[in-house]
Amino acid sequence: MPNVSNAGTEMTESVAFTKSVLERVNSSQDVKKLNKEELHQLTEELRSEIIRVCSLGGGHLASSLGAVELTVALHSLYNSKVDRLVFDVGHQTYGHKIITGRKDQIDSVRKHDGLAGFTTTSESEDDALTVGHASTSIAAAFGMALARDAQGEDYGVVAVIGDGSLTGGLALAALNQIGDVKPKMTIIVNDNEMSISENVGALNGYFSSLQVQPWFQNAEKTGRRQLWQPIAEFGSRAKHSIRRFFDPASANPFHAMGLRYVGPIDGHDLDQLTYYLKHIRELDGPTMLHIVTKKGKGYKIAESDPKYWHGPPKFDADKPVKKGKGYSWSNAFGDAACQLAEENERLWMLTPAMSIGSGLVGYSERFPKRYLDVGIAEDVCVTTAAGLALQGEKPVVAIYSTFLQRGYDQVIHDVCIENLDVVFAIDRAGLVGGDGATHQGVFDVSFMRAIPNMSIAVPKDSKEQRSMLKKALEMGGPKAIRWPRGGVEAPPEAPVTDWDEIEWGSWEILKEGSSAYVLACGLTIDYALEATKDLPHIGVVNARFVKPLDTAMLLELARTAKAFITVEDHARDGGLGSAVVEALVDNDVFVPTRRLGIPNVFVPHGDTALQHEELGYGVRGIRQALDELSLLHGLSKLQVQD
Ligand code: HTL
Ligand code: MG
């Protein structure tokens, strides 16, 4: 364990440890044995450890740093093996993992075969919920509290949710229920005024307004304990007094929803935090504790630039610097969006809280009036796009594949039934690496393909990506274009002039073959070309439209092809392979076909290239499929005889 002072000037405070407290901590129960001073030392040691771990392989640094005091306070009061600590998203839980018996494995977090980056019930009984997507904690904790009461138990139930995640309708609708049913539970809003980017929405504005009230600012100056002295009455008169003391604005929306609201308090003041949590635990019914924290707390560079340090790649902990990430598919999309917006004043870009990840920061600065971040509310994003389209605007929903799952009903009900002009720019489509099972973008083709009026394109490079985007906007109707996480070739010049005129639904033969064809799309095209480079009889097709398929080309190839192999960075069930097989069968054409892609399993975090191989759709997998179809040696011999 590095000494915190090793981080030198980058740490807000330097503390030299004489003896490690963390060494003695393997569970919540161990935290309870620590005295006050040791608890404070534990927070510093956790910070140091979180910085060290993230520096090794990247990870959710700033959120985990901001939740250190909260984590220690919770474990000093609750036992996470019995009580249910439900963390929203789970990206702030490195401290929780380290405390709960996983410190020896923490270096493996997010890596192949390592610990997950989020809480995962299969990983530990201390993890109450498997998460990764935002806004689920409150509803899940509500269900747990109902189960506890139905079973006559009395363990504690706590939901910990960030201000960003509270922008999701799922969280707000759960609060609405809780305020009515009133189970005993604590909801902690960890408010750092940040989502990944600056948080948005009226509630965010309300939270900020609470912080500028004189009573909160005085507390800042004088030390909060005095201001909160009345809390001493907590035990006796709590139920009555609390509302008066802690609902200074009688219009408090949570109070109006039937919840007891306490706050805001300083979420980095461990003693104060513990004090409040302890008393709130005694209260009946639901209580919301609003804590104010700083994202990246304790690591200066992360505090000053929490957007970059939200989830940085690996860095030097002693000399942390921002790394350029190279030109990505997201950048290419953002650049194309700017250029198209210059030409089309009806164009809009909408994002559900993923402006940076989707490559839209530049666009948002250049076209602020035609840009909207709706918060972590994918459903709102899609239906707002429908509204814009109904009134003649041209919205593009820029969304990650995995988060589009949250907007599925809206895609069907609000966009596709009406056949509206909404383009879905689907980023992080395919396996995503460290974020793991919750974030894999591997179902979008299956679930979008089933919807009437929807069509789906998969570009092979950035030129095809921008050309498809342009074409989709020109054509109208619901259109989806999907691309993976990672790098792509930058356009040769800006503004770009080399747009292709792509016929929507057309495939492209990349390599002629005589005996069989690999039908690949997106990043698997490189694998197909590599796997067949010494096999002149095997052709490769850029199957860039999954819906509509280029059925004419498929049937033409089927006249001579002895086999097809489809390859995709997507679930096999319902993907390109399924579409191809269905098209063949529907046309009474029978050609042996191998479908390579992700089998019907949830794929954990790991190295994507390795996973493509392990799952059988990398270069080796394609070679193996060719071999199984006797196309490697058997047919190469045939080829020679030809
Ligand atoms: N949409 C959904 C449904 N789930 C997730 N997880 C995202 C988008 C992406 N996302 C995160 S973390 C995060 C977002 C938007 C910001 C959460 O803000 P919050 O917490 O205020 O709740 P903070 O980061 O500590 O400030 C991940 O995918 C990890
Ligand atoms: Mg936040």
Side-chain angles (χ1 to χ4, degrees):
M1 141 109 39
N3 191 306
V4 171
S5 58
N6 284 349
T9 54
E10 298 310 323
M11 293 296 297
T12 308
E13 291 152 28
S14 293
V15 181
F17 301 136
T18 42
K19 222 163 96 206
S20 166
V21 168
L22 194 49
E23 260 173 32
R24 287 183 272 143
V25 172
N26 284 306
S27 67
S28 316
Q29 299 313 81
D30 292 340
V31 177
K32 291 180 189 58
K33 292 177 201 149
L34 303 177
N35 63 32
K36 218 172 184 183
E37 202 178 297
E38 289 170 328
L39 287 171
H40 282 275
Q41 187 173 327
L42 180 61
T43 63
E44 294 303 331
E45 289 186 35
L46 282 176
R47 278 215 160 85
S48 173
E49 195 53 0
I50 290 165
I51 294 166
R52 187 189 65 76
V53 167
C54 289
S55 75
L56 292 178
H60 285 113
L61 175 71
S63 301
S64 283
L65 287 177
V68 160
E69 284 79 14
L70 177 61
T71 304
V72 170
L74 285 170
H75 282 287
S76 74
L77 296 169
Y78 291 92
N79 174 3
S80 56
K81 295 202 191 307
V82 180
D83 300 309
R84 299 291 71 191
L85 305 182
V86 187
F87 293 95
D88 210 274
V89 184
H91 65 318
Q92 72 288 63
T93 57
Y94 290 15
H96 162 78
K97 290 192 182 218
I98 293 168
I99 283 179
T100 53
R102 284 168 276 183
K103 64 181 175 221
D104 294 340
Q105 297 143 273
I106 196 70
D107 288 6
S108 72
V109 75
R110 292 170 59 88
K111 295 191 181 131
H112 218 76
D113 296 327
L115 293 180
F118 309 111
T119 52
T120 307
T121 59
S122 60
E123 190 177 284
S124 166
E125 57 184 332
D126 294 278
D127 290 2
L129 192 67
T130 295
V131 267
H133 285 201
S135 319
T136 63
S137 63
I138 300 178
F142 175 43
M144 290 172 192
L146 292 178
R148 173 202 58 199
D149 295 346
Q151 294 161 11
E153 303 283 347
D154 67 351
Y155 52 82
V157 174
V158 182
V160 176
I161 186 164
D163 55 315
S165 300
L166 199 59
T167 58
L170 178 54
L172 296 170
L175 285 179
N176 192 33
Q177 269 303 301
I178 290 167
D180 188 25
V181 178
K182 297 196 193 305
K184 178 174 174 170
M185 62 189 288
T186 306
I187 297 145
I188 300 169
V189 176
N190 179 12
D191 175 13
N192 53 20
E193 295 190 82
M194 294 294 291
S195 190
I196 293 178
S197 307
E198 286 81 8
N199 198 15
V200 297
L203 207 50
N204 177 52
Y206 172 72
F207 280 154
S208 308
S209 76
L210 289 180
Q211 289 186 42
V212 297
Q213 306 238 355
W215 51 269
F216 186 83
Q217 292 196 323
N218 284 343
E220 283 277 332
K221 283 186 215 126
T222 55
R224 304 229 169 120
R225 300 307 303 272
Q226 285 122 315
L227 182 82
W228 299 112
Q229 210 51 45
I231 198 80
E233 300 174 34
F234 229 111
S236 53
R237 301 195 356 235
K239 282 173 210 161
H240 307 291
S241 64
I242 237 176
R243 190 172 292 166
R244 268 187 288 125
F245 282 115
F246 306 110
D247 272 357
S250 55
N252 181 294
F254 303 107
H255 180 191
M257 283 169 88
L259 297 150
R260 186 182 295 112
Y261 169 87
V262 180
I265 65 164
D266 179 352
H268 295 305
D269 182 336
L270 180 62
D271 299 343
Q272 187 185 194
L273 201 52
T274 312
Y275 181 78
Y276 279 85
L277 282 170
K278 186 165 173 237
H279 287 294
I280 286 171
R281 192 181 174 166
E282 305 307 318
L283 300 175
D284 283 334
T287 304
M288 175 182 280
L289 175 66
H290 177 186
I291 70 171
V292 176
T293 61
K294 196 159 187 57
K295 204 159 170 170
K297 176 72 177 175
Y299 199 43
K300 264 187 186 155
I301 195 165
E303 284 187 20
S304 62
D305 186 1
K307 289 189 229 172
Y308 177 81
W309 297 95
H310 171 86
K314 67 176 180 186
F315 56 93
D316 178 344
D318 292 325
K319 293 192 198 72
V321 281
K322 246 165 117 164
K323 271 188 217 140
K325 288 186 180 162
Y327 197 78
S328 66
W329 282 94
S330 319
N331 296 137
F333 164 67
D335 288 345
C338 286
Q339 206 171 324
L340 290 165
E342 295 277 7
E343 292 158 18
N344 181 352
E345 59 180 27
R346 301 262 74 88
L347 191 75
W348 283 70
M349 292 286 149
L350 273 60
T351 174
M354 301 305 287
S355 167
I356 301 172
S358 297
L360 285 178
V361 174
Y363 177 96
S364 69
E365 287 161 3
R366 280 181 62 187
F367 305 96
K369 293 201 173 126
R370 291 186 277 145
Y371 165 80
L372 188 64
D373 174 354
V374 299
I376 309 179
E378 289 76 9
D379 44 1
V380 174
C381 198
V382 176
T383 302
T384 303
L388 282 163
L390 278 165
Q391 299 309 114
E393 300 294 304
K394 296 279 182 193
V396 175
V397 174
I399 194 162
Y400 284 20
S401 167
T402 186
F403 303 137
L404 180 56
Q405 292 162 195
R406 277 278 169 89
Y408 190 44
D409 178 58
Q410 291 69 23
V411 175
I412 298 173
H413 178 271
D414 301 326
V415 174
C416 288
I417 291 179
E418 287 283 327
N419 199 19
L420 296 177
D421 297 353
V422 179
V423 174
F424 293 87
I426 306 178
D427 204 317
R428 306 305 196 272
L431 294 182
V432 295
D435 280 339
T438 54
H439 282 55
Q440 307 291 19
V442 296
F443 305 117
D444 56 288
V445 174
S446 313
F447 69 67
M448 296 294 262
R449 198 164 73 82
I451 313 172
N453 292 333
M454 177 57 74
S455 72
I456 307 157
V458 192
K460 70 171 187 296
D461 55 27
S462 57
K463 185 177 179 191
E464 217 165 61
Q465 178 198 37
R466 60 179 171 269
S467 305
M468 284 171 169
L469 193 59
K470 187 164 189 273
K471 187 78 183 175
L473 287 162
E474 281 163 14
M475 288 173 66
K479 302 267 180 297
I481 309 169
R482 78 185 303 260
W483 52 84
R485 175 170 183 264
V488 77
E489 206 182 319
E493 84 290 345
V496 174
T497 49
D498 64 335
W499 306 77
D500 273 340
E501 188 53 49
I502 294 180
E503 193 190 328
W504 199 262
S506 67
W507 287 356
E508 178 192 31
I509 295 181
L510 297 173
K511 177 176 177 256
E512 290 287 351
S514 53
S515 56
Y517 277 87
V518 181
L519 312 175
C521 61
L523 58 74
T524 64
I525 287 174
D526 284 346
Y527 295 152
L529 291 171
E530 175 67 23
T532 60
K533 67 178 183 213
D534 59 340
L535 304 170
H537 54 293
I538 309 292
V540 175
V541 172
N542 173 13
R544 59 193 176 186
F545 289 94
V546 183
K547 187 185 177 190
L549 288 180
D550 191 339
T551 313
M553 182 185 285
L554 179 68
L555 297 180
E556 179 59 30
L557 296 175
R559 287 176 47 204
T560 52
K562 296 183 176 63
F564 288 125
I565 294 172
T566 64
V567 203
E568 60 198 305
D569 187 20
H570 185 272
R572 277 159 30 104
D573 296 348
L576 170 71
S578 297
V580 164
V581 170
E582 287 160 22
L584 292 172
V585 170
D586 290 348
N587 287 282
D588 297 322
V589 174
F590 302 97
V591 177
T593 302
R594 282 291 148 104
R595 295 178 298 128
L596 307 187
I598 299 165
N600 199 225
V601 295
F602 287 107
V603 182
H605 48 285
D607 176 272
T608 49
L610 211 63
Q611 289 178 324
H612 298 161
E613 285 299 349
E614 280 178 4
L615 293 163
Y617 63 96
V619 175
R620 267 207 326 272
I622 298 171
R623 294 289 287 196
Q624 193 181 329
L626 288 164
D627 197 16
E628 283 166 17
L629 289 161
S630 307
L631 290 165
L632 260 192
H633 306 297
L635 280 182
S636 22
K637 272 185 219 132
L638 263 184
Q639 188 73 19
V640 173
Q641 284 159 17
D642 283 348

